[in-house]
C-alpha cells in the first residue's frame, strides 16, 4: 500500500514503454503515480489535481517539455511544483535552458532505476523542507504581526488611560472645591438676606441714600433669582463631577487579573467622551445615540480594554456617518443620523449590538475589516489596527466573539458577545 507521506508524482512521456518502466519503479517504492502522454494532457491533469512532483520528457509532440514547464511556471498555483526533466540528449545547452525555465534536475535516458529513485527522493525532501520553511516563516510573520498589534494596543491604551486619568484628576480637585463651597455660599447668602430683612424691620426709614441703593440693585429680583443662579452653578458642578467620574471609569487601569465591571458604565463613559463629535457640523446634522440597555450582569473583564473596543467602534460609526452625509445632496441633508446601542443576555452571553445608519460597506471590505493594517480611511486618518486590536481584545483576551453585518448604503452593525461564566481566558 502506498505510503501516505510519499508524494503524488505525475510522469509525462509520449513513450508507453518509458511510462510503464517509471510507473512500476515508483509504485514499488511506495509513490502514488499518474501518467500523461503529452504536454496538453499533463497541463489538463495538473489543473484537476496538483501533483507533488513532475517527471517531464522534453521531446514530445504538440507541446514539448520546455513549453509545458514554462506554462507551469507562469501559473502561480503550479509554479512551486518541482519539475525533473527526462531526456536522451545530454546536451549542456538544453540542460541550461531547462534549468532556467524552472526545472530542478535532469534524468538521462535510458533510465537507471536507482538513480531515478534517488533523485526523486532528494527533491521530495527538498520540497518538504522548503514547504516547512515557508510555513515557519508564515507562522513567525503572523506571530510578529499579532505581537505588534498587542504592543500598539497596550501603548494606545496606556497613553490614552494616562491622559484621561490625568485630566479627570486635574478636573476633580478644583470642581470638588467649587461644588463643596456652593452650599456654604448659599447659606451665607440666606444669612445676608435675613440680615437685610432684619434691618428693614428695625429701620423702616433708612434714609434716601440707602433707599436709592436698594432700588438700583432691585433687591426683590435679586432675592428671587440668586437661589436659581446658585442652583445652576451647583448643577453645572455636579455635571462636571459626573464627567470626571466617567473619565475615571473609561481610563480604569487594568491589573493582571480581570475584575467585575458594569458594561453600561463603560459604554456611557465612552459616549460622553465622544459627545463633542456627535454635535452637528457643516457637513452633517447631529448624531443621535439611542441606548436600549437590557438586564445584564457585571462581567469579569479587563474593563479598560473593553472601553477601548467601544471607543473604536463608536468612533468608526461617527466616521461612517460623516462620510455618508458628505456624499448627500442638500435636499437630503435632513437625513437622521443615528447610532443605536443594545445590550441583552442571551444563553449565558452578554451581547452588545452597536448599529449605525451610515454608508455601510461592501462584501469585499466586510471580509477584510478585521485584517491587520487594513483600512478604508485616507492616509493619516486610519492605521488599520483599530478593529484588529478590537478582535484580539474580544476573542483572545475575553474568550468572546465579534462579528459585523453591513449592507452597502444602509448601515453597519457590530455584534460583540462576551461570556458571563467565570471559565474564560485570562
Amino acid at each position: 500500500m502506498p505510503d501516505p507521506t510519499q508524494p503524488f508524482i505525475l510522469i509525462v512521456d509520449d513513450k508507453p514503454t518509458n511510462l510503464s518502466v517509471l510507473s512500476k519503479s515508483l509504485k514499488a517504492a511506495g509513490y502514488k503515480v499518474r501518467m500523461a502522454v503529452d504536454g496538453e494532457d499533463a497541463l489538463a491533469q495538473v489543473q484537476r489535481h496538483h501533483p507533488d512532483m513532475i517527471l517531464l520528457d522534453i521531446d514530445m509532440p504538440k507541446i514539448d517539455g520546455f513549453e509545458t514547464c514554462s506554462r507551469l511556471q507562469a501559473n502561480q498555483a503550479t509554479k512551486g511544483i518541482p519539475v525533473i526533466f527526462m531526456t536522451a540528449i545530454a546536451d549542456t545547452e538544453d540542460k541550461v535552458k531547462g534549468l532556467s525555465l524552472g526545472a530542478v534536475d535532469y534524468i538521462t535516458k535510458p533510465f537507471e532505476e536507482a538513480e531515478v529513485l534517488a533523485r526523486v527522493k532528494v527533491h521530495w525532501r527538498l520540497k518538504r523542507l522548503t514547504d516547512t520553511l515557508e510555513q515557519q516563516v508564515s507562522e513567525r510573520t503572523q506571530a510578529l504581526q499579532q505581537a505588534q498589534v498587542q504592543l500598539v494596543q497596550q501603548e494606545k491604551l496606556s497613553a490614552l488611560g494616562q491622559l484621561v486619568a490625568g485630566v479627570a484628576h486635574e478636573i476633580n480637585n478644583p470642581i470638588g472645591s467649587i461644588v463643596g463651597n456652593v452650599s456654604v455660599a448659599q447659606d451665607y447668602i440666606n444669612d445676608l438676606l435675613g440680615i437685610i430683612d432684619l434691618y428693614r424691620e428695625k429701620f423702616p426709614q433708612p434714609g434716601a441714600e440707602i433707599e436709592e441703593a436698594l432700588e438700583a440693585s432691585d433687591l426683590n429680583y435679586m432675592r428671587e433669582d440668586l437661589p436659581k443662579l446658585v442652583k445652576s452653578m451647583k448643577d453645572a458642578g455636579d455635571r462636571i463631577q459626573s464627567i470626571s467620574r466617567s473619565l475615571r471609569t473609561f481610563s480604569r487601569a487594568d491589573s493582571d487579573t480581570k475584575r467585575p465591571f458594569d458594561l453600561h458604565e463603560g459604554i456611557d463613559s465612552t459616549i460622553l467622551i465622544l459627545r463633542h463629535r456627535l454635535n452637528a457640523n457643516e457637513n452633517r446634522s447631529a448624531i443621535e445615540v439611542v441606548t436600549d440597555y437590557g438586564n445584564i450582569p457585571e462581567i469579569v473583564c479587563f474593563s479598560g480594554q473593553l472601553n477601548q473596543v467601544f471607543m473604536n467602534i463608536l468612533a468608526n460609526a461617527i466616521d461612517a456617518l460623516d462620510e455618508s452625509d458628505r456624499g448627500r445632496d442638500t435636499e437630503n441633508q435632513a437625513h437622521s443620523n443615528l447610532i443605536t446601542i443594545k445590550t441583552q443576555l442571551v444563553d449565558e452571553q452578554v451581547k452588545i449590538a452597536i448599529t449605525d445608519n451610515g454608508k455601510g460597506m461592501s462584501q469585499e471590505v466586510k471580509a477584510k475589516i478585521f485584517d491587520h493594517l487594513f483600512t478604508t480611511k485616507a492616509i493619516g486618518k486610519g492605521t488599520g489596527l483599530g478593529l484588529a486590536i478590537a478582535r484580539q481584545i474580544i476573542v483572545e483576551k475575553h474568550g468572546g466573539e465579534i462579528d459585523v453585518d453591513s449592507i452597502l448604503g444602509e448601515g453597519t452593525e457590530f455584534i460583540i458577545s462576551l461570556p458571563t461564566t467565570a471559565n474564560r481566558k485570562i
Side-chain angles (χ1 to χ4, degrees):
M1 186 174 181
D3 186 343
T5 63
Q6 295 290 1
F8 151 44
I9 299 176
L10 176 64
I11 308 171
V12 188
D13 200 313
D14 62 331
K15 303 294 191 298
T17 302
N18 292 338
L19 291 175
S20 177
V21 171
L22 285 173
S23 176
K24 287 179 181 178
S25 297
L26 292 170
K27 286 181 178 179
Y31 294 99
K32 295 172 283 186
V33 176
R34 287 189 182 180
M35 294 175 282
V37 296
D38 55 41
E40 287 185 352
D41 185 17
L43 293 172
Q45 289 200 44
V46 168
Q47 292 303 314
R48 291 194 299 270
H49 187 184
H50 289 183
D52 296 299
M53 188 180 300
I54 299 174
L55 301 183
L56 180 60
D57 187 26
I58 292 178
D59 188 14
M60 295 184 296
K62 298 181 181 179
I63 302 177
D64 65 12
F66 291 141
E67 178 63 21
T68 303
C69 182
S70 179
R71 294 189 187 185
L72 290 168
Q73 291 298 312
N75 188 334
Q76 190 66 32
T78 59
K79 66 180 300 182
I81 301 173
V83 174
I84 300 177
F85 274 130
M86 301 182 297
T87 180
I89 305 172
D91 184 83
T92 300
E93 185 177 344
D94 282 345
K95 288 184 177 180
V96 171
K97 180 179 180 180
L99 293 172
S100 67
L101 288 173
V104 297
D105 205 350
Y106 264 85
I107 296 174
T108 304
K109 299 177 183 179
F111 303 118
E112 289 290 340
E113 181 179 350
E115 180 186 1
V116 172
L117 294 177
R119 290 181 184 275
V120 167
K121 184 176 182 180
V122 167
H123 287 293
W124 171 234
R125 285 180 175 175
L126 288 174
K127 184 178 187 302
R128 290 179 67 182
L129 287 172
T130 301
D131 290 346
T132 301
L133 181 60
E134 289 178 352
Q135 182 180 358
Q136 289 177 347
V137 170
S138 176
E139 290 174 352
R140 293 290 176 87
T141 301
Q142 185 177 7
L144 286 172
Q145 288 179 341
Q146 291 178 346
Q148 180 188 18
V149 168
Q150 181 67 18
L151 287 172
V152 171
Q153 180 263 324
Q154 289 176 347
E155 187 66 24
K156 287 177 65 177
L157 186 61
S158 175
L160 182 60
Q162 290 176 8
L163 173 64
V164 172
V167 171
H169 177 74
E170 292 300 321
I171 291 175
N172 195 54
N173 289 337
I175 202 62
S177 175
I178 292 172
V179 171
N181 288 328
V182 163
S183 297
V184 177
Q186 179 69 67
D187 292 339
Y188 289 166
I189 291 169
N190 290 335
D191 290 344
L192 288 173
L193 290 174
I195 292 172
I196 290 173
D197 290 341
L198 182 60
Y199 265 96
R200 297 184 73 173
E201 180 183 342
K202 298 298 183 181
F203 302 98
Q205 300 296 328
E209 186 176 354
I210 294 177
E211 288 286 357
E212 289 176 3
L214 288 174
E215 185 176 351
S217 65
D218 197 352
L219 183 61
N220 291 333
Y221 175 77
M222 186 186 302
R223 182 191 300 274
E224 178 184 352
D225 189 58
L226 191 55
K228 296 178 183 178
L229 181 62
V230 172
K231 183 178 184 303
S232 176
M233 294 169 60
K234 186 176 187 308
D235 290 343
D238 290 340
R239 175 62 177 161
I240 296 174
Q241 284 188 321
S242 174
I243 293 172
S244 178
R245 285 193 298 271
S246 293
L247 291 174
R248 291 198 301 274
T249 298
F250 180 83
S251 64
R252 184 181 297 172
D254 291 317
S255 64
D256 292 335
T257 58
K258 299 176 181 178
R259 301 181 183 279
F261 181 59
D262 183 346
L263 292 176
H264 293 161
E265 282 189 9
I267 296 170
D268 288 341
S269 68
T270 306
I271 295 172
L272 185 143
I273 292 171
L274 291 171
R275 186 176 297 279
H276 68 286
R277 293 198 59 198
L278 302 175
N279 297 329
N281 57 41
E282 66 275 10
N283 295 317
R284 60 157 173 79
S285 58
I287 298 173
E288 181 183 5
V289 178
V290 176
T291 56
D292 180 9
Y293 290 159
N295 185 18
I296 63 173
E298 289 187 339
I299 68 168
V300 180
C301 63
F302 297 114
S303 59
Q305 294 185 14
L306 288 185
N307 284 340
Q308 186 184 359
V309 173
F310 300 147
M311 171 71 77
N312 186 268
I313 294 176
L314 286 170
N316 281 346
I318 294 170
D319 290 341
L321 289 167
D322 285 343
E323 289 295 323
S324 181
D325 263 18
R326 191 173 289 116
R328 288 191 173 91
D329 55 38
T330 307
E331 294 180 0
N332 292 324
Q333 283 296 317
H335 169 80
S336 176
N337 293 308
L338 182 65
I339 296 174
T340 60
I341 305 171
K342 182 177 181 179
T343 63
Q344 58 182 327
L345 183 63
V346 180
D347 297 330
E348 298 299 318
Q349 283 197 325
V350 172
K351 291 190 178 293
I352 306 108
I354 302 175
T355 309
D356 68 71
N357 62 342
K359 65 178 183 177
M361 63 184 77
S362 66
Q363 290 300 314
E364 291 78 10
V365 171
K366 178 182 170 183
K368 298 178 181 178
I369 198 70
F370 294 109
D371 288 356
H372 177 76
L373 298 181
F374 176 79
T375 181
T376 59
K377 297 177 182 177
I379 295 174
K381 292 188 177 181
T383 63
L385 293 174
L387 288 175
I389 291 172
R391 167 170 274 183
Q392 190 177 68
I393 291 171
I394 297 299
V395 177
E396 296 182 17
K397 294 293 186 179
H398 294 88
E401 297 178 358
I402 180 170
D403 298 298
V404 61
D405 186 17
S406 184
I407 299 176
L408 192 61
E410 295 187 18
T412 300
E413 180 179 51
F414 283 91
I415 303 173
I416 299 169
S417 300
L418 295 167
T420 60
T421 56
N423 185 21
R424 292 188 292 263
K425 295 180 181 179
I426 300 291

